[in-house]
Amino acid sequence: SYELTQPPSVSVSPGQTASITCSGDKLGDKNVCWYQQKPGQSPVLVIYQDSKRPSGIPERFSGSNSGNTATLTISGTQAMDEADYYCQAWDSSTALYVFGTGTKVTVL
Amino acid sequence: QVQLQESGPGLVKPSQTLSLTCTVSGGSISSGSYYWSWIRQPAGKGLEWIGRIYTSGSTNYNPSLKSRVTISVDTSKNQFSLKLSSVTAADTAVYYCARAGGVGATRYFFDYWGQGTLVTVSS
C-alpha cells in the first residue's frame, strides 16, 4: 500500500522558517495537500494542489512538491502555528486517500 | 458556509455495529458534485480514511476496512451515514466526516470537516 512518511517533530524559533517534509514514491506525480490540526480540533486545510492556499490561510504557509518529496514551509513562524501537520495524497492505484504520519511543530 | 456535524453513540460494545450520521448544513448534499467521506483518528495517532460516497450514491472504501464498512446517504435529511460492523477496541477513535470536491483536482483534498465525535468500543 502507498505510504507517506513525515518527520515526527520539527522545532522552530519564533520568526524563523519551519520546513516539514512528506516522502512517498513518485509523490511529485500526485496532488498533495496539507492539514493543520491543533489539540482537540478538526484538521484545517492549509495547502492544496501542492502549493495553493485556501482563502483565509496566511501567506506564510507555502508548499512545493517534486520527485519523491513534498514540503510545507512556514515562514516567519508564529506561536499560533504550533500544531500537528499532516500531508495527504490520493493514490489512484488503490482509490485511497492516504495521510502522512504527521509532524508535530513546536515553536520554542 | 457549509457545516458538517457528526452524531451517534459514544460507546459501542465489542462485536456490535458502530453507527454514525453526518448532517450537512449550509447547502444541499445532493446539489453540486461532491464526495462525502468518513475519516478516523485514534487518540494520539494519525488520520485514517474510511470511505466516501459520491453525490450520485456510488461508494469507495478503504480496502483495510471494506468488509466491515457501509456508507449511505439520505438526501431527504441532508445526511450521510457510516456503519462499521464487528467492532473491536482497535476501532476506538475520533470519527470525522468531511467533504471533497467531485471534479478534477478538487477530488483530492478535504475542504470542510466536522468537529469529530469520539467513539469508544468497550464492554
Side-chain angles (χ1 to χ4, degrees):
Chain A
S1 61
Y2 195 77
E3 296 181 351
L4 295 174
T5 302
Q6 301 178 232
S9 63
V10 167
S11 296
V12 60
S13 299
Q16 299 304 301
T17 296
S19 294
I20 306 164
T21 58
C22 174
S23 299
D25 185 49
K26 298 180 181 179
L27 186 57
D29 293 342
K30 305 180 187 299
N31 280 272
V32 174
C33 64
W34 292 88
Y35 302 94
Q36 176 193 70
Q37 186 180 33
K38 296 183 178 179
Q41 298 184 19
S42 307
V44 173
L45 182 70
V46 294
I47 293 289
Y48 66 98
Q49 289 180 233
D50 297 340
S51 60
K52 297 181 179 180
R53 278 180 295 104
S55 174
I57 299 302
E59 290 184 8
R60 62 179 181 273
F61 289 89
S62 62
S64 64
N65 183 22
S66 179
N68 294 322
T69 304
T71 302
L72 173 69
T73 301
I74 311 173
S75 303
T77 306
Q78 300 183 10
M80 68 174 66
D81 301 328
E82 191 165 279
D84 293 328
Y85 290 84
Y86 294 91
C87 60
Q88 178 246 300
W90 169 257
D91 180 28
S92 57
S93 65
T94 54
L96 181 65
Y97 292 100
V98 179
F99 288 94
T101 50
T103 298
K104 182 176 181 60
V105 170
T106 301
V107 182
L108 299 172
Chain B
Q1 178 80 348
V2 173
Q3 292 185 314
L4 291 77
Q5 178 69 58
E6 306 88 350
S7 60
L11 181 64
V12 181
K13 288 181 167 50
S15 80
Q16 293 191 343
T17 297
L18 178 160
S19 296
L20 295 175
T21 296
C22 181
T23 300
V24 179
S25 58
S28 171
I29 199 170
S30 58
S31 68
S33 179
Y34 297 105
Y35 285 101
W36 305 94
S37 281
W38 288 97
I39 296 159
R40 69 181 183 179
Q41 184 174 37
K45 296 188 177 182
L47 299 160
E48 178 183 35
W49 178 71
I50 299 169
R52 69 181 184 179
I53 188 164
Y54 188 53
T55 306
S56 65
S58 64
T59 55
N60 300 105
Y61 300 129
N62 187 324
S64 68
L65 298 168
K66 187 174 183 177
S67 63
R68 300 194 290 132
V69 174
T70 302
I71 296 176
S72 59
V73 65
D74 186 338
T75 55
S76 67
K77 295 182 179 179
N78 228 34
Q79 297 175 334
F80 64 105
S81 298
L82 168 70
K83 291 189 185 297
L84 180 66
S85 63
S86 304
V87 297
T88 69
D91 295 308
T92 294
V94 174
Y95 285 75
Y96 297 99
C97 55
R99 188 191 84 167
V103 294
T106 68
R107 295 170 291 172
Y108 304 135
F109 58 89
F110 303 105
D111 55 357
Y112 289 99
W113 294 66
Q115 67 182 30
T117 187
L118 174 62
V119 178
T120 302
V121 179
S122 175
S123 55

